[in-house]
Amino acid sequence: MKTKTKIAAIILPAVLLFFLLFLLAGHSNWSLLNPKGPIAQQERNLMVVGISLMLIVVVPVFILLFTFAFKYREGNKAKYAPNQRHSTKFQLLLWAIPTVIILILAVINWKSTHQLDPFKPLISNVKPITIQVVSLPWKWLFIYPEQNIATVNFVEFPQTTPVNFQLTSDAAMNSFWIPQLGGQMYAMAGMSTQLHLMASAPGSFAGSAAEISGQGFSGMKFTAKAVTNSDFDSWVKSVQARRTPLGLAEYNKLAAPSSNNPPAFYSSTDKNLYNNIIMKYMMPTQGIQ
Amino acid sequence: MSILFGKLTLAALPHEWFTIAGTIFITIMGIAVVAFLTHKKLWKWLWKEWLTSTDPKKIGIMYIIVASLMLFRGAIDAGMIWLQQSLSVGVSNGYISPNHFQQIFTAHGDIMIFFVTMGFLAGLWNLILPLQIGSRDVAFPFLNTLSLWLYIAGAIFVNLFFVLGGEFAATGWLALPPLSELQFSPGVGVDYWIWSLQISGLGTLLGGINFLVTILKMRAPGMTLMKMPMFVWTSLCSMVLVVSIFPILAATIALLTLDRFMGMHFFTTSFGGNPMMYISLIWSWGHPEVYVLILPAYGIYSEIVATFSQKRLSGYGSVVAGSIGITLLALLVWLHHFFTMGAGADVNAFFGIMTMFITVPTAALVFNWLATMYKGRIRFFTPMDWFVGFVFTFTLGGMAGVLMGIPGVDFQVHNTLYLVAHFHTMIIGGALFGIFAGITYWFPKATGFTLNERLGRYAFWCWIIGFFASFVPLYILGFMGATRRLDHYEASTGWQPLFIVAGVGLIIIACGALFQVLQIIVSIKQRKQNIDKTGDPWNGRTLEWAIPSPPPVYNFAIIPKVTERDQFWADKASKQTAKQVYEDIHMPKNTALGIYTSGFIFLFGFAMVWHIVWLAIVGLLGAISCVIIRSFDEDTEYVIPADEVAKMEAERKSFYG
């Protein structure tokens, strides 16, 4: 009786709690479960496959745990075998079941890791666009080398076009993340890392800095906007038409610490800016502080 | 910088509300304790019987008391983190500055790992390991008291910034560079972090060596490796990890110290420094460290499930093999902490697969615990409740963890609250529940009376319900894209209700902790009713239950001979009583040199924080001198003559009937 109450006492509140939380959370907000690009989609599927496979072991564990706790409690007078020994066969089985599941997961792991390697360019007929990303204290700078424009805390790109992000940092380390498009990649000073993402449809997606990088990092948010090709072209033109070039002096000002920066747009930029920012950590570079 | 005071100026005195509050709290508590001890004239007793003691049973109790205080401190941090995250939405910026918030979660993490979990475990090792292997002492009694005092020095260090300096590291609990370098963290916060970890880490390393040798060399005759109780086995595995990885921690932090103190460039971003090296090194300590914490808990659960099922542990050999497997695999998975740092797919996949393979030995352990319950006769005392709660919680947390072993998934949940929820599930649901179970289980052994069951049960239910209420929202927040360590977020994210639910969970956990405090107080008051005269309140199986509670200073009047795995269980079944022939017993004398050595090392650390060169030299020379003095001291033991032992044993018998 007592144990029965106990089991109910564990399971009921747990179920209620989950239910309540689902209601509170509102399903549309679960960005990881609402992917908007092929990479995030595959990563979400991996989660589902992984969880399903593991439940094969986890569910029986729960059932056995509560059944045994209930059945073999002292008051119940079930069969009692204090000196029972289990056969080697039984032990082999205990090791074999998880081994098989983990072997399956290992194959999935190996394949998916190579498939989803963030450094690997996406296969597509569409010509990719390159966007260079610099983590600054505490804002994100996006440089478009082909379009010769730059933005802060806002990045726009055409839909269904592979985006080749190149990442570096001109400050502490950070992690660049657009949850609905795919996983993170670190941005580190003196190095260039890569992240290949794509949006399947137009939309605005939240982007963030996932690694602590000092006081203002929680305000280091940006919007990633996927638009149609023509919208992108006209947006680029509108930015180019502004008279706000990103020269060295402006860059040095931008690179100084400041928090919660609103989006900013630069009509032109130095072609070598990204490389110079990286090289600054290798040797003295002209102009960059 | 002055020669006399280094960087230390009057500006270091408390001037912000939290440092002033902290200082006032520390001062009031200090005055209260001093007044109490002086009033009751307990100073001499405290010094002679406790502080300078080399008796592992007393050292263990002191560890547990300090760890409990630190748990209180870490819990206040948790509450402050939650309050900020519940309030700081949209236009509101909460009640503390981002920098202060970052200091709080840094301190919270360090305190909970180094000073709570490690402290409790060191306490249980001291209390129980010598008893379980049928030994009178540990291998190196002086090292043991030194370990304790280094741990306490580290614990003081982690709180010292309240009084002097005003800031702790604001970098996250592992102080990853380049953020922890002078360029980004010019204050003394990171230096306090460095020396609190360096000093307490040294204590842990010495303790690890001590218990490793104790287990290998001081077991009762006949106790072969495969006859050791499971807690001894998993602790041995834990010690092997400690001696393998704590030198890495010490070296890594030392290199960071050189960067900060001497302007070197091991981990800076320029002049050839490489922060990635630090991250790789610190995690090659940091991941095995998780297993240092969890393996002993596995041992505790193994003891408890066998005792309360009144049945031998199923698949002993399998459980031992599983523990060794976990130990080895623990050293091969650290890279999964930075899949997102840009290593190639081959490297990521290798470490991901290794990570998932830890599940195999772990599952073997869980299945064998279940098999132990099968056809057992389970008595549900609170330790067993904690066990059931653990299996439930830990299995879920393990699943969450294996999922992150797939790099493709990790890219999405890395650095999110999902990760935060996962490791809290493992450390609270795994290690801490195990510690609570162990403390309840062995409390009568250490004190001579059992804990109040009813209050213990209340505490258990509060903890487990509070735990789920607190951390299920965090898993969900992770799926919603909430990263960790945020001091502020936008209202449009819809995260606030979940943070508030998490806070309610925290309050429920706090009730659980309150019940635990009540439980101790009530149990002490009712100790006459709950007295354990048999020394064996749970119908135990291993040697610690064969001696009276609390054990005499020498533990075993006669060193037992071991022929069986569950020796005491077998003895009870055969009803044989060995002949009582006593002999002279050699015991270590108490020594204050552990305190002095640790005191000098504390001074050294303090001087290094504030760049006071002369004091650093004094501290270093002082510590080395103390150790040299100790090594020339040949009068470190005293003898309890055989007839004295006989007399003490007879007195005990007449008292307990």
Side-chain angles (χ1 to χ4, degrees), chain B residues 297-321:
Chain B
Y298 290 163
I300 296 172
Y301 294 124
S302 304
E303 302 287 337
I304 283 172
V305 74
T307 302
F308 290 96
S309 300
Q310 308 190 70
K311 186 164 168 258
R312 82 165 66 234
L313 181 71
S314 162
Y316 176 90
S318 202
V319 176
V320 169

Short mmCIF file of all heavy atoms in Angstrom, two decimals, chain B residues 297-321:
data_model
loop_
_atom_site.label_atom_id
_atom_site.label_comp_id
_atom_site.label_asym_id
_atom_site.label_seq_id
_atom_site.Cartn_x
_atom_site.Cartn_y
_atom_site.Cartn_z
N ALA B 297 29.58 7.45 -5.27
CA ALA B 297 28.13 7.37 -5.07
C ALA B 297 27.61 6.01 -5.56
O ALA B 297 26.77 5.39 -4.90
CB ALA B 297 27.42 8.51 -5.79
N TYR B 298 28.14 5.53 -6.69
CA TYR B 298 27.76 4.18 -7.17
C TYR B 298 28.04 3.16 -6.08
O TYR B 298 27.26 2.23 -5.86
CB TYR B 298 28.56 3.80 -8.41
CG TYR B 298 28.22 4.55 -9.69
CD1 TYR B 298 29.09 4.54 -10.77
CD2 TYR B 298 27.02 5.24 -9.81
CE1 TYR B 298 28.80 5.21 -11.94
CE2 TYR B 298 26.72 5.92 -10.99
CZ TYR B 298 27.62 5.90 -12.05
OH TYR B 298 27.33 6.58 -13.21
N GLY B 299 29.19 3.31 -5.43
CA GLY B 299 29.54 2.37 -4.36
C GLY B 299 28.56 2.43 -3.21
O GLY B 299 28.12 1.40 -2.68
N ILE B 300 28.19 3.66 -2.83
CA ILE B 300 27.23 3.82 -1.73
C ILE B 300 25.91 3.14 -2.10
O ILE B 300 25.33 2.41 -1.29
CB ILE B 300 27.01 5.33 -1.44
CG1 ILE B 300 28.31 5.96 -0.95
CG2 ILE B 300 25.89 5.52 -0.42
CD1 ILE B 300 28.26 7.47 -0.82
N TYR B 301 25.45 3.37 -3.33
CA TYR B 301 24.19 2.76 -3.74
C TYR B 301 24.31 1.23 -3.72
O TYR B 301 23.36 0.53 -3.35
CB TYR B 301 23.78 3.23 -5.14
CG TYR B 301 23.45 4.71 -5.21
CD1 TYR B 301 24.10 5.56 -6.10
CD2 TYR B 301 22.47 5.25 -4.38
CE1 TYR B 301 23.79 6.90 -6.16
CE2 TYR B 301 22.16 6.60 -4.45
CZ TYR B 301 22.83 7.43 -5.33
OH TYR B 301 22.52 8.75 -5.40
N SER B 302 25.47 0.72 -4.15
CA SER B 302 25.64 -0.73 -4.15
C SER B 302 25.53 -1.30 -2.74
O SER B 302 24.93 -2.36 -2.53
CB SER B 302 27.00 -1.11 -4.74
OG SER B 302 27.15 -0.57 -6.03
N GLU B 303 26.11 -0.60 -1.77
CA GLU B 303 26.02 -1.05 -0.38
C GLU B 303 24.57 -1.02 0.09
O GLU B 303 24.07 -1.94 0.72
CB GLU B 303 26.84 -0.13 0.55
CG GLU B 303 28.30 0.00 0.21
CD GLU B 303 29.08 -1.24 0.56
OE1 GLU B 303 28.63 -2.01 1.42
OE2 GLU B 303 30.14 -1.45 -0.07
N ILE B 304 23.91 0.10 -0.24
CA ILE B 304 22.56 0.32 0.29
C ILE B 304 21.57 -0.65 -0.31
O ILE B 304 20.73 -1.24 0.39
CB ILE B 304 22.14 1.79 0.04
CG1 ILE B 304 22.85 2.67 1.07
CG2 ILE B 304 20.64 1.96 0.13
CD1 ILE B 304 22.69 4.14 0.83
N VAL B 305 21.66 -0.87 -1.62
CA VAL B 305 20.66 -1.73 -2.25
C VAL B 305 20.81 -3.17 -1.74
O VAL B 305 19.81 -3.87 -1.51
CB VAL B 305 20.73 -1.63 -3.79
CG1 VAL B 305 21.92 -2.35 -4.37
CG2 VAL B 305 19.45 -2.16 -4.40
N ALA B 306 22.05 -3.60 -1.49
CA ALA B 306 22.23 -4.95 -0.95
C ALA B 306 21.73 -5.04 0.49
O ALA B 306 21.00 -5.96 0.85
CB ALA B 306 23.70 -5.34 -1.03
N THR B 307 22.10 -4.05 1.30
CA THR B 307 21.70 -4.10 2.72
C THR B 307 20.19 -4.07 2.86
O THR B 307 19.61 -4.88 3.59
CB THR B 307 22.31 -2.91 3.47
OG1 THR B 307 23.73 -2.97 3.33
CG2 THR B 307 21.94 -2.95 4.94
N PHE B 308 19.54 -3.14 2.17
CA PHE B 308 18.10 -2.97 2.41
C PHE B 308 17.25 -3.96 1.62
O PHE B 308 16.08 -4.14 1.93
CB PHE B 308 17.69 -1.52 2.14
CG PHE B 308 18.23 -0.57 3.17
CD1 PHE B 308 19.40 0.13 2.94
CD2 PHE B 308 17.60 -0.43 4.40
CE1 PHE B 308 19.93 0.97 3.91
CE2 PHE B 308 18.12 0.41 5.37
CZ PHE B 308 19.29 1.11 5.13
N SER B 309 17.86 -4.60 0.60
CA SER B 309 17.14 -5.72 -0.04
C SER B 309 17.42 -7.01 0.74
O SER B 309 16.86 -8.05 0.41
CB SER B 309 17.59 -5.89 -1.49
OG SER B 309 17.33 -4.72 -2.21
N GLN B 310 18.28 -6.95 1.71
CA GLN B 310 18.70 -8.09 2.51
C GLN B 310 19.15 -9.24 1.63
O GLN B 310 18.76 -10.38 1.80
CB GLN B 310 17.55 -8.54 3.44
CG GLN B 310 17.01 -7.37 4.25
CD GLN B 310 16.06 -7.82 5.32
OE1 GLN B 310 16.46 -8.43 6.31
NE2 GLN B 310 14.79 -7.52 5.15
N LYS B 311 19.99 -8.88 0.68
CA LYS B 311 20.39 -9.86 -0.33
C LYS B 311 21.77 -9.49 -0.82
O LYS B 311 22.12 -8.31 -0.84
CB LYS B 311 19.37 -9.76 -1.48
CG LYS B 311 19.52 -10.77 -2.56
CD LYS B 311 18.26 -10.83 -3.42
CE LYS B 311 18.52 -11.63 -4.66
NZ LYS B 311 18.75 -10.85 -5.84
N ARG B 312 22.56 -10.50 -1.23
CA ARG B 312 23.89 -10.16 -1.71
C ARG B 312 23.79 -9.33 -2.99
O ARG B 312 22.82 -9.46 -3.75
CB ARG B 312 24.70 -11.43 -1.94
CG ARG B 312 24.40 -12.10 -3.27
CD ARG B 312 25.43 -13.12 -3.67
NE ARG B 312 25.44 -14.26 -2.77
CZ ARG B 312 26.54 -14.67 -2.15
NH1 ARG B 312 27.68 -14.05 -2.35
NH2 ARG B 312 26.49 -15.72 -1.37
N LEU B 313 24.80 -8.49 -3.25
CA LEU B 313 24.80 -7.67 -4.46
C LEU B 313 24.87 -8.58 -5.67
O LEU B 313 25.73 -9.46 -5.75
CB LEU B 313 25.99 -6.72 -4.45
CG LEU B 313 26.10 -5.78 -5.65
CD1 LEU B 313 25.02 -4.72 -5.60
CD2 LEU B 313 27.47 -5.14 -5.70
N SER B 314 23.98 -8.37 -6.61
CA SER B 314 23.99 -9.18 -7.82
C SER B 314 25.20 -8.82 -8.67
O SER B 314 25.55 -7.65 -8.80
CB SER B 314 22.70 -8.92 -8.60
OG SER B 314 22.85 -9.34 -9.93
N GLY B 315 25.83 -9.83 -9.24
CA GLY B 315 26.90 -9.63 -10.22
C GLY B 315 28.05 -8.78 -9.73
O GLY B 315 28.45 -7.82 -10.40
N TYR B 316 28.60 -9.13 -8.55
CA TYR B 316 29.70 -8.35 -7.98
C TYR B 316 30.82 -8.13 -9.00
O TYR B 316 31.27 -7.01 -9.21
CB TYR B 316 30.22 -9.07 -6.73
CG TYR B 316 31.42 -8.44 -6.08
CD1 TYR B 316 31.27 -7.47 -5.09
CD2 TYR B 316 32.71 -8.83 -6.43
CE1 TYR B 316 32.38 -6.91 -4.48
CE2 TYR B 316 33.82 -8.28 -5.83
CZ TYR B 316 33.66 -7.32 -4.85
OH TYR B 316 34.75 -6.76 -4.26
N GLY B 317 31.24 -9.22 -9.64
CA GLY B 317 32.34 -9.13 -10.62
C GLY B 317 32.00 -8.18 -11.75
O GLY B 317 32.83 -7.37 -12.19
N SER B 318 30.74 -8.23 -12.15
CA SER B 318 30.27 -7.38 -13.23
C SER B 318 30.27 -5.91 -12.80
O SER B 318 30.65 -5.02 -13.57
CB SER B 318 28.86 -7.84 -13.57
OG SER B 318 28.49 -7.46 -14.84
N VAL B 319 29.87 -5.67 -11.57
CA VAL B 319 29.83 -4.30 -11.06
C VAL B 319 31.25 -3.75 -10.92
O VAL B 319 31.53 -2.60 -11.27
CB VAL B 319 29.08 -4.24 -9.70
CG1 VAL B 319 29.13 -2.84 -9.13
CG2 VAL B 319 27.63 -4.66 -9.89
N VAL B 320 32.18 -4.62 -10.46
CA VAL B 320 33.58 -4.18 -10.37
C VAL B 320 34.11 -3.87 -11.77
O VAL B 320 34.70 -2.80 -12.00
CB VAL B 320 34.44 -5.29 -9.70
CG1 VAL B 320 35.92 -4.96 -9.85
CG2 VAL B 320 34.07 -5.43 -8.24
N ALA B 321 33.86 -4.79 -12.70
CA ALA B 321 34.33 -4.57 -14.08
C ALA B 321 33.73 -3.28 -14.64
O ALA B 321 34.41 -2.49 -15.29
CB ALA B 321 33.97 -5.75 -14.96
#
